[in-house]
Amino acid sequence: MTDPRYHYRVVSPPGHDELARLEFEALTGERAPAHPPWNEREDASDHPGLLWARAGVDVGRAAYVAECCRLLARGTTLDEMLAAAADLQLRMERFRVHARKRRGTKVSSSQQIERAVANTIIGRPDLSRPAVELIAQVHEREWLLSELVSRTTNGWLGHEQRPHQYSSALPPRIARAMVNLVAVPGDRLIDPCCGSGTALVEASSMGIEPFGWEINRTIVEQAAANICHHQQAAWLVVGDGRTARGSWNGAVLDLPYGISSERCDDVARGLVEHALEVARLVAVVTVDDLSGLFAGCGGEVLGTATVIKNRLHRRVYWARSIGAC
Ligand SMILES: C[S@@+](CC[C@H](N)C(=O)[O-])C[C@H]1O[C@@H](n2cnc3c(N)ncnc32)[C@H](O)[C@@H]1O
């Protein structure tokens, strides 16, 4: 087995780290440690949470996975890393080096580190329009020099602003991560209880074709306005999500709760069963405990996460369909 050469920087607000871990697993196809490295740190921004993987992927559409880098050289000291980089005789045109210094690191200023790394490279730097970006940083008492492979565009930013707010709506960042659990650009996605269209907007903005069902006509009209506002497109149907016929690559299911709709175990079971019938991968978000439901519904749970926002604990179940119920 080859050593992991790619590291991913994961940035998640408090309460979102478990969903961030699932997004990393969905994007890279690799398991993340049960306790992500950015947990139990006092200042997450000072200690980037790096996760290692054998493959490098495009994280441009990610909600929490901020960056993918390919490791070039490492060392227990800055000098050791610089020597390892020099040994590689790297040839690069139009490169830029960015040093990420941990607060309290005394060795050198960021500019000194950047210059020292640049001196190990054969080729010309370009600080304004670089073709290659190099990052030097300390991680777990080791210096790493890496090449940036991809970076998120934070495409969910700005999606909170929309003509129609909805008290039961998912925050766009959570919706985006859930879409990333079940679909990739070019796929078709169903949201059987689409509400104000949050997941549909995220899917469409990532090049995924979204289909939404919603039982309440007024809310469907609001979803349509929200989708237009963000210059996205989706198929919308007024009706019970359990009546949707067809096949989709993925489903995002935000189960009804609270005052806007009745909490009802049978409705939840019916919606989950239906989602697993029509889609290969399903991401369900709910305030209830659904453990044990999936096996009896033709689903295998791939991962779970609790997401805490404004004291609301949401439970995310990521499952794949293993055949009809
Ligand atoms: C938790 S909200 C979804 C919110 C949505 N994710 C958003 O961000 O706006 C659940 C929605 O499901 C709708 N709903 C309830 N039962 C349904 C059913 N059987 N089929 C379709 N929609 C249903 C409710 O009207 C409500 O808008």
Side-chain angles (χ1 to χ4, degrees):
M1 198 184 276
T2 52
D3 272 351
R5 297 296 293 176
Y6 294 87
H7 55 81
Y8 291 80
R9 190 160 69 91
V10 182
V11 177
S12 60
H16 292 227
D17 52 316
E18 291 184 11
L19 182 57
R21 172 173 53 82
L22 293 190
E23 187 186 58
F24 165 83
E25 292 185 356
L27 291 175
T28 65
E30 302 221 13
R31 300 295 291 179
H35 297 290
W38 62 95
N39 265 356
E40 297 161 28
R41 297 271 166 83
E42 281 173 9
D43 180 353
S45 62
D46 207 25
H47 301 266
L50 295 191
L51 293 175
W52 292 86
R54 280 178 294 275
V57 301
D58 181 4
V59 299
R61 67 183 199 281
Y64 300 108
V65 182
E67 194 176 270
C68 167
C69 290
R70 184 169 69 93
L71 179 69
L72 299 173
R74 68 203 312 171
T76 50
T77 62
L78 176 60
D79 286 341
E80 207 178 292
M81 182 197 78
L82 291 170
D87 282 351
L88 293 172
Q89 302 202 342
L90 295 166
R91 286 173 190 279
M92 290 173 182
E93 281 308 318
R94 296 184 40 224
F95 68 88
R96 179 172 69 192
V97 185
H98 174 60
R100 259 187 214 138
K101 256 189 56 174
R102 255 171 58 177
R103 217 180 295 151
T105 310
K106 290 205 178 78
V107 274
S108 319
S109 74
S110 296
Q111 283 102 325
Q112 282 171 318
I113 298 168
E114 286 160 6
R115 242 177 272 129
V117 171
N119 286 339
T120 69
I121 311 285
I122 305 159
R124 269 171 311 157
D126 183 338
L127 303 188
S128 49
R129 295 184 60 226
V132 184
E133 289 190 59
L134 300 175
I135 296 166
Q137 62 189 315
V138 179
H139 178 62
E140 291 180 347
R141 297 198 203 96
E142 207 185 15
W143 278 90
L144 308 177
L145 176 64
S146 317
E147 178 184 350
L148 180 74
V149 173
S150 63
R151 182 182 276 143
T152 179
T153 61
N154 285 323
W156 53 274
L157 278 175
H159 289 171
E160 293 271 11
Q161 280 74 48
R162 50 194 165 186
H164 299 283
Q165 300 294 343
Y166 185 31
S167 59
S168 302
L170 274 179
R173 194 174 189 179
I174 296 177
R176 194 172 190 89
M178 290 187 58
V179 171
N180 282 334
L181 298 185
V182 299
V184 296
D187 278 357
R188 287 156 42 97
L189 175 128
I190 180 171
D191 181 345
C193 295
C194 70
S196 58
T198 318
L200 306 178
V201 168
E202 296 310 314
S204 171
S205 71
M206 292 189 271
I208 294 162
E209 191 180 7
F211 296 73
W213 265 254
E214 167 58 54
I215 211 154
N216 183 319
R217 177 175 293 277
T218 306
I219 298 173
V220 175
E221 286 164 4
Q222 295 179 348
N226 286 345
I227 291 161
C228 286
H229 174 78
H230 291 298
Q231 298 178 325
Q232 301 300 331
W235 300 95
L236 285 172
V237 179
V238 181
D240 189 320
R242 292 167 292 184
T243 63
R245 294 287 166 262
S247 79
W248 286 268
N249 303 89
V252 165
L253 174 58
D254 183 7
L255 284 172
Y257 66 93
I259 49 160
S260 62
S261 42
E262 270 183 9
R263 185 193 291 231
C264 171
D265 288 351
D266 286 347
V267 174
R269 169 178 277 276
L271 285 162
V272 172
E273 277 180 0
H274 171 267
L276 286 162
E277 273 169 28
V278 298
R280 201 172 53 81
L281 287 168
V282 175
V284 181
V285 59
T286 171
V287 291
D288 297 315
D289 182 1
L290 296 187
S291 344
L293 176 73
F294 288 84
C297 287
E300 179 197 7
V301 176
L302 301 172
T304 60
T306 301
V307 190
I308 306 161
K309 190 169 185 216
N310 301 337
R311 286 201 230 142
L312 177 63
H313 287 53
R314 291 182 170 96
R315 195 92 185 117
V316 173
Y317 294 86
W318 178 29
R320 77 180 178 95
S321 172
I322 50 172
C325 302

CSV table of all heavy atoms in Angstrom, one decimal, residues 98-133:
chain,number,residue,atom,x,y,z
A,98,HIS,N,3.7,30.1,-0.1
A,98,HIS,CA,3.0,30.7,1.0
A,98,HIS,C,3.4,30.0,2.3
A,98,HIS,O,3.2,28.7,2.4
A,98,HIS,CB,1.5,30.6,0.8
A,98,HIS,CG,0.6,31.1,1.9
A,98,HIS,ND1,0.7,32.4,2.4
A,98,HIS,CD2,-0.3,30.4,2.7
A,98,HIS,CE1,-0.1,32.5,3.5
A,98,HIS,NE2,-0.7,31.3,3.7
A,99,ALA,N,3.9,30.7,3.3
A,99,ALA,CA,4.2,30.0,4.6
A,99,ALA,C,3.1,30.3,5.6
A,99,ALA,O,2.7,31.4,5.8
A,99,ALA,CB,5.5,30.6,5.1
A,100,ARG,N,2.7,29.1,6.2
A,100,ARG,CA,1.7,29.2,7.2
A,100,ARG,C,2.4,29.0,8.5
A,100,ARG,O,2.7,27.8,8.9
A,100,ARG,CB,0.6,28.1,7.0
A,100,ARG,CG,-0.6,28.7,6.4
A,100,ARG,CD,-1.7,27.6,6.4
A,100,ARG,NE,-2.4,27.9,5.2
A,100,ARG,CZ,-2.8,26.9,4.3
A,100,ARG,NH1,-2.6,25.7,4.6
A,100,ARG,NH2,-3.5,27.3,3.3
A,101,LYS,N,2.6,30.0,9.2
A,101,LYS,CA,3.4,29.9,10.5
A,101,LYS,C,2.4,29.7,11.6
A,101,LYS,O,1.4,30.4,11.7
A,101,LYS,CB,4.2,31.2,10.7
A,101,LYS,CG,5.6,31.0,10.5
A,101,LYS,CD,6.5,32.1,10.9
A,101,LYS,CE,6.2,32.4,12.4
A,101,LYS,NZ,7.1,33.4,13.0
A,102,ARG,N,2.6,28.8,12.5
A,102,ARG,CA,1.8,28.7,13.7
A,102,ARG,C,2.2,29.8,14.6
A,102,ARG,O,3.3,30.1,14.8
A,102,ARG,CB,2.0,27.3,14.4
A,102,ARG,CG,0.9,26.4,14.1
A,102,ARG,CD,1.2,25.0,14.5
A,102,ARG,NE,1.5,24.9,16.0
A,102,ARG,CZ,1.8,23.8,16.6
A,102,ARG,NH1,1.7,22.7,15.9
A,102,ARG,NH2,2.1,23.7,17.8
A,103,ARG,N,1.1,30.3,15.3
A,103,ARG,CA,1.4,31.4,16.3
A,103,ARG,C,2.4,30.9,17.3
A,103,ARG,O,2.3,29.7,17.7
A,103,ARG,CB,0.1,31.7,17.0
A,103,ARG,CG,0.0,33.2,17.2
A,103,ARG,CD,-1.3,33.5,17.9
A,103,ARG,NE,-2.4,33.3,17.1
A,103,ARG,CZ,-3.6,33.0,17.6
A,103,ARG,NH1,-3.8,32.8,18.9
A,103,ARG,NH2,-4.6,32.8,16.8
A,104,GLY,N,3.4,31.7,17.6
A,104,GLY,CA,4.4,31.3,18.6
A,104,GLY,C,5.6,30.6,18.0
A,104,GLY,O,6.6,30.3,18.7
A,105,THR,N,5.5,30.3,16.7
A,105,THR,CA,6.7,29.7,16.1
A,105,THR,C,7.8,30.7,16.0
A,105,THR,O,7.6,31.8,15.4
A,105,THR,CB,6.4,29.1,14.7
A,105,THR,OG1,5.2,28.3,14.8
A,105,THR,CG2,7.5,28.3,14.1
A,106,LYS,N,8.9,30.5,16.6
A,106,LYS,CA,9.9,31.6,16.7
A,106,LYS,C,10.9,31.6,15.5
A,106,LYS,O,11.5,32.6,15.2
A,106,LYS,CB,10.7,31.4,18.0
A,106,LYS,CG,9.9,31.6,19.2
A,106,LYS,CD,10.7,32.1,20.4
A,106,LYS,CE,9.9,32.4,21.6
A,106,LYS,NZ,9.4,31.1,22.3
A,107,VAL,N,11.0,30.5,14.8
A,107,VAL,CA,12.1,30.3,13.8
A,107,VAL,C,12.4,31.5,12.9
A,107,VAL,O,13.4,32.2,13.0
A,107,VAL,CB,12.0,29.1,13.0
A,107,VAL,CG1,12.6,27.9,13.7
A,107,VAL,CG2,10.5,28.8,12.6
A,108,SER,N,11.5,31.9,12.1
A,108,SER,CA,11.7,32.9,11.1
A,108,SER,C,10.4,33.6,10.8
A,108,SER,O,9.3,33.1,11.1
A,108,SER,CB,12.2,32.3,9.8
A,108,SER,OG,13.1,31.3,10.0
A,109,SER,N,10.5,34.7,10.1
A,109,SER,CA,9.2,35.4,9.6
A,109,SER,C,8.7,34.6,8.4
A,109,SER,O,9.4,33.8,7.8
A,109,SER,CB,9.5,36.8,9.2
A,109,SER,OG,10.2,36.8,8.0
A,110,SER,N,7.4,34.8,8.1
A,110,SER,CA,6.8,34.1,7.0
A,110,SER,C,7.6,34.4,5.7
A,110,SER,O,7.9,33.5,4.9
A,110,SER,CB,5.4,34.5,6.8
A,110,SER,OG,4.7,34.2,7.9
A,111,GLN,N,8.0,35.7,5.5
A,111,GLN,CA,8.7,36.0,4.3
A,111,GLN,C,10.1,35.3,4.2
A,111,GLN,O,10.5,34.9,3.1
A,111,GLN,CB,9.0,37.5,4.2
A,111,GLN,CG,7.8,38.3,3.8
A,111,GLN,CD,7.1,39.0,5.0
A,111,GLN,OE1,7.2,38.4,6.1
A,111,GLN,NE2,6.6,40.2,4.8
A,112,GLN,N,10.7,35.2,5.3
A,112,GLN,CA,12.0,34.5,5.3
A,112,GLN,C,11.8,33.0,4.9
A,112,GLN,O,12.6,32.4,4.1
A,112,GLN,CB,12.7,34.5,6.7
A,112,GLN,CG,13.4,35.9,7.0
A,112,GLN,CD,13.8,36.0,8.4
A,112,GLN,OE1,13.1,35.5,9.3
A,112,GLN,NE2,15.0,36.5,8.6
A,113,ILE,N,10.8,32.4,5.4
A,113,ILE,CA,10.5,31.0,5.1
A,113,ILE,C,10.2,30.9,3.6
A,113,ILE,O,10.7,30.0,2.9
A,113,ILE,CB,9.3,30.4,5.9
A,113,ILE,CG1,9.7,30.5,7.4
A,113,ILE,CG2,9.0,29.0,5.5
A,113,ILE,CD1,8.5,30.2,8.4
A,114,GLU,N,9.3,31.8,3.1
A,114,GLU,CA,8.9,31.8,1.7
A,114,GLU,C,10.2,31.9,0.8
A,114,GLU,O,10.3,31.2,-0.2
A,114,GLU,CB,7.9,32.9,1.4
A,114,GLU,CG,6.5,32.5,2.0
A,114,GLU,CD,5.6,33.7,2.2
A,114,GLU,OE1,5.9,34.8,1.8
A,114,GLU,OE2,4.5,33.4,2.8
A,115,ARG,N,11.1,32.8,1.2
A,115,ARG,CA,12.3,33.1,0.4
A,115,ARG,C,13.2,31.8,0.4
A,115,ARG,O,13.7,31.4,-0.6
A,115,ARG,CB,13.0,34.3,0.9
A,115,ARG,CG,13.1,35.4,-0.2
A,115,ARG,CD,13.8,36.6,0.2
A,115,ARG,NE,12.9,37.5,0.8
A,115,ARG,CZ,13.0,38.1,2.0
A,115,ARG,NH1,14.0,37.9,2.8
A,115,ARG,NH2,12.1,38.9,2.5
A,116,ALA,N,13.3,31.2,1.6
A,116,ALA,CA,14.2,30.0,1.7
A,116,ALA,C,13.6,28.9,0.9
A,116,ALA,O,14.4,28.2,0.2
A,116,ALA,CB,14.3,29.6,3.2
A,117,VAL,N,12.3,28.7,0.9
A,117,VAL,CA,11.7,27.6,0.0
A,117,VAL,C,11.9,28.0,-1.4
A,117,VAL,O,12.4,27.1,-2.2
A,117,VAL,CB,10.2,27.5,0.3
A,117,VAL,CG1,9.6,26.5,-0.7
A,117,VAL,CG2,10.0,26.9,1.7
A,118,ALA,N,11.7,29.2,-1.8
A,118,ALA,CA,11.8,29.6,-3.2
A,118,ALA,C,13.2,29.4,-3.7
A,118,ALA,O,13.4,29.0,-4.9
A,118,ALA,CB,11.5,31.1,-3.4
A,119,ASN,N,14.2,29.5,-2.8
A,119,ASN,CA,15.6,29.3,-3.2
A,119,ASN,C,15.9,27.9,-3.5
A,119,ASN,O,16.9,27.5,-4.1
A,119,ASN,CB,16.6,29.8,-2.1
A,119,ASN,CG,16.6,31.3,-2.1
A,119,ASN,OD1,16.3,32.0,-3.1
A,119,ASN,ND2,17.0,31.9,-0.9
A,120,THR,N,15.0,26.9,-3.1
A,120,THR,CA,15.3,25.5,-3.4
A,120,THR,C,14.7,25.1,-4.8
A,120,THR,O,14.8,24.0,-5.2
A,120,THR,CB,14.7,24.6,-2.3
A,120,THR,OG1,13.2,24.7,-2.4
A,120,THR,CG2,15.1,25.0,-0.9
A,121,ILE,N,13.9,26.0,-5.4
A,121,ILE,CA,13.2,25.7,-6.6
A,121,ILE,C,13.9,26.3,-7.8
A,121,ILE,O,14.4,27.4,-7.8
A,121,ILE,CB,11.8,26.4,-6.6
A,121,ILE,CG1,11.0,26.1,-5.3
A,121,ILE,CG2,10.9,26.0,-7.8
A,121,ILE,CD1,10.5,24.8,-5.1
A,122,ILE,N,14.0,25.4,-8.9
A,122,ILE,CA,14.6,25.9,-10.1
A,122,ILE,C,13.5,26.4,-11.0
A,122,ILE,O,12.6,25.7,-11.4
A,122,ILE,CB,15.3,24.7,-10.8
A,122,ILE,CG1,16.3,24.1,-9.8
A,122,ILE,CG2,16.0,25.2,-12.1
A,122,ILE,CD1,16.7,22.6,-10.2
A,123,GLY,N,13.5,27.7,-11.2
A,123,GLY,CA,12.4,28.4,-12.0
A,123,GLY,C,12.1,29.7,-11.5
A,123,GLY,O,12.7,30.2,-10.5
A,124,ARG,N,11.2,30.4,-12.2
A,124,ARG,CA,10.9,31.8,-11.8
A,124,ARG,C,9.6,31.9,-11.0
A,124,ARG,O,8.6,31.3,-11.4
A,124,ARG,CB,10.7,32.7,-13.0
A,124,ARG,CG,12.0,33.3,-13.5
A,124,ARG,CD,11.8,34.0,-14.8
A,124,ARG,NE,11.1,33.0,-15.7
A,124,ARG,CZ,10.4,33.3,-16.8
A,124,ARG,NH1,10.3,34.6,-17.1
A,124,ARG,NH2,9.9,32.4,-17.6
A,125,PRO,N,9.6,32.7,-9.9
A,125,PRO,CA,8.3,32.9,-9.1
A,125,PRO,C,7.4,33.9,-9.8
A,125,PRO,O,7.9,34.6,-10.7
A,125,PRO,CB,8.8,33.4,-7.8
A,125,PRO,CG,10.2,34.0,-8.1
A,125,PRO,CD,10.7,33.3,-9.3
A,126,ASP,N,6.2,33.8,-9.5
A,126,ASP,CA,5.2,34.8,-10.0
A,126,ASP,C,4.2,35.0,-8.8
A,126,ASP,O,3.4,34.2,-8.6
A,126,ASP,CB,4.5,34.3,-11.3
A,126,ASP,CG,3.5,35.4,-11.8
A,126,ASP,OD1,3.1,36.3,-11.0
A,126,ASP,OD2,3.2,35.3,-13.0
A,127,LEU,N,4.4,36.1,-8.1
A,127,LEU,CA,3.6,36.3,-6.9
A,127,LEU,C,2.2,36.8,-7.2
A,127,LEU,O,1.2,36.6,-6.4
A,127,LEU,CB,4.2,37.3,-6.0
A,127,LEU,CG,5.7,37.0,-5.6
A,127,LEU,CD1,6.2,37.9,-4.5
A,127,LEU,CD2,5.8,35.5,-5.1
A,128,SER,N,1.9,37.4,-8.4
A,128,SER,CA,0.6,37.9,-8.7
A,128,SER,C,-0.3,36.9,-9.4
A,128,SER,O,-1.5,36.8,-9.1
A,128,SER,CB,0.6,39.2,-9.4
A,128,SER,OG,1.5,39.1,-10.5
A,129,ARG,N,0.2,36.2,-10.4
A,129,ARG,CA,-0.6,35.2,-11.1
A,129,ARG,C,0.1,33.9,-11.2
A,129,ARG,O,0.6,33.4,-12.2
A,129,ARG,CB,-1.0,35.7,-12.5
A,129,ARG,CG,-1.9,37.0,-12.4
A,129,ARG,CD,-2.3,37.4,-13.8
A,129,ARG,NE,-3.1,36.4,-14.5
A,129,ARG,CZ,-2.9,36.1,-15.8
A,129,ARG,NH1,-1.9,36.7,-16.4
A,129,ARG,NH2,-3.6,35.2,-16.3
A,130,PRO,N,0.3,33.2,-10.0
A,130,PRO,CA,1.1,32.0,-10.0
A,130,PRO,C,0.4,30.8,-10.8
A,130,PRO,O,-0.8,30.7,-10.7
A,130,PRO,CB,1.2,31.6,-8.5
A,130,PRO,CG,0.1,32.3,-7.9
A,130,PRO,CD,-0.3,33.5,-8.7
A,131,ALA,N,1.2,30.0,-11.4
A,131,ALA,CA,0.6,28.8,-12.0
A,131,ALA,C,0.7,27.6,-11.0
A,131,ALA,O,0.0,26.6,-11.1
A,131,ALA,CB,1.4,28.4,-13.3
A,132,VAL,N,1.6,27.7,-10.1
A,132,VAL,CA,1.8,26.6,-9.1
A,132,VAL,C,1.9,27.3,-7.7
A,132,VAL,O,2.6,28.3,-7.5
A,132,VAL,CB,3.2,25.9,-9.3
A,132,VAL,CG1,3.3,24.7,-8.3
A,132,VAL,CG2,3.3,25.4,-10.7
A,133,GLU,N,1.1,26.8,-6.7
A,133,GLU,CA,1.2,27.4,-5.4
A,133,GLU,C,1.7,26.4,-4.4
A,133,GLU,O,1.3,25.2,-4.4
A,133,GLU,CB,-0.2,27.8,-4.9
A,133,GLU,CG,-0.8,29.0,-5.6
A,133,GLU,CD,-2.1,29.5,-5.0
A,133,GLU,OE1,-2.1,29.9,-3.8
A,133,GLU,OE2,-3.1,29.5,-5.7
